[in-house]
């Protein structure tokens, strides 16, 4: 499962809060040059950024283990996405409602690839600045794309968001009328 979204939306945090193993991260210090390119307005305390991917895993039940791959958020690292999503069952696009435009690329990517995905509005400081319908409208996602609120720091919240994506993926492969 791929966890994606713009710069500083909580992808690394989400992988870290749910992974049952110590997550593999590829964090690098934000340099002065990068600080001039990446908008740190809403994340002034951010000192590192993902430069390749994050990796973790989660056992759903004895027959199902999810491998979690977090993408880098900056467009300049987008060339890696095709390799990261290879074989993915679904994606979770994390958004920061203070800057919805940062996740358009991720939404477009999953739509273009035909990978089932959900949108998860990260509740920074316990708040989400828009209703779910406003987020859906702003991102122009269809009614078939779930839009949920979650907190990337909370294990149960991340689990619930990932289960929404897993349900989408299972619905795609299950024959009509089959129990899930």
């Amino acid at each position: 499962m791929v966890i994606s979204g713009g710069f500083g939306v909580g992808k690394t945090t989400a992988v870290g809060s749910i992974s049952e193993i110590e997550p593999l991260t590829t964090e690098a210090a934000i340099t002065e040059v990068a600080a001039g390119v990446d908008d740190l307005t809403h994340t002034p305390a951010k000192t590192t950024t993902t430069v390749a991917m994050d990796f973790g895993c989660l056992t759903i039940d004895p027959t199902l283990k999810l491998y979690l791959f977090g993408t880098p958020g900056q467009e300049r690292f987008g060339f890696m996405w095709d390799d990261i999503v290879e074989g993915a069952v679904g994606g979770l696009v994390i958004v920061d409602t203070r800057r919805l435009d940062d996740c358009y690329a991720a939404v477009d990517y999953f739509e273009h690839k035909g990978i089932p995905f959900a949108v998860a509005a990260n509740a920074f400081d316990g708040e989400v600045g828009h209703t779910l319908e406003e987020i859906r409208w702003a991102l122009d996602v269809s009614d078939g794309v779930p839009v949920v609120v979650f907190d990337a720091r909370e294990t149960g919240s991340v689990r619930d968001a990932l289960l929404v994506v897993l349900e989408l993926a299972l619905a795609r492969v299950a024959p009509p009328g089959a129990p899930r």
Side-chain angles (χ1 to χ4, degrees):
M1 185 150 325
V2 177
I3 299 176
S4 192
F7 171 73
V9 297
K11 299 175 299 292
T12 300
T13 301
V15 171
S17 70
I18 192 75
S19 180
E20 61 195 26
I21 64 168
E22 181 70 29
L24 166 69
T25 63
T26 57
E27 293 286 295
I30 296 176
T31 63
E32 285 184 38
V33 172
V37 174
D38 300 324
D39 182 4
L40 298 173
T41 305
H42 294 289
T43 56
K46 189 166 178 56
T47 60
T48 62
T49 189
T50 301
V51 294
M53 70 173 188
D54 300 314
F55 174 78
C57 67
L58 173 65
T59 302
I60 302 296
D61 69 34
T63 65
L64 183 60
K65 182 173 245 178
L66 285 181
Y67 294 100
L68 309 171
F69 295 88
T71 65
Q74 299 93 326
E75 287 187 40
R76 65 182 175 275
F77 297 122
F79 66 91
M80 293 183 260
W81 282 33
D82 283 341
D83 291 329
I84 293 172
V85 303
E86 178 95 18
V89 298
L92 183 67
V93 177
I94 301 176
V95 301
D96 178 346
T97 59
R98 300 170 295 186
R99 48 200 174 96
L100 287 171
D101 55 334
D102 288 355
C103 71
Y104 292 148
V107 169
D108 290 346
Y109 185 86
F110 285 103
E111 286 177 340
H112 176 74
K113 290 289 188 180
I115 297 171
F117 71 98
V119 172
N122 197 357
F124 285 92
D125 301 320
E127 296 180 17
V128 176
H130 302 284
T131 68
L132 296 181
E133 281 309 309
E134 288 170 337
I135 295 167
R136 177 181 303 287
W137 179 85
L139 299 179
D140 193 27
V141 293
S142 73
D143 289 340
V145 175
V147 179
V148 300
V149 173
F150 91 131
D151 186 328
R153 301 165 299 179
E154 305 266 337
T155 301
S157 188
V158 176
R159 177 203 61 221
D160 292 348
L162 291 173
L163 287 174
V164 168
V165 178
L166 187 56
E167 284 288 322
L168 285 175
L170 290 174
R172 266 200 180 181
V173 296
R180 294 185 307 171

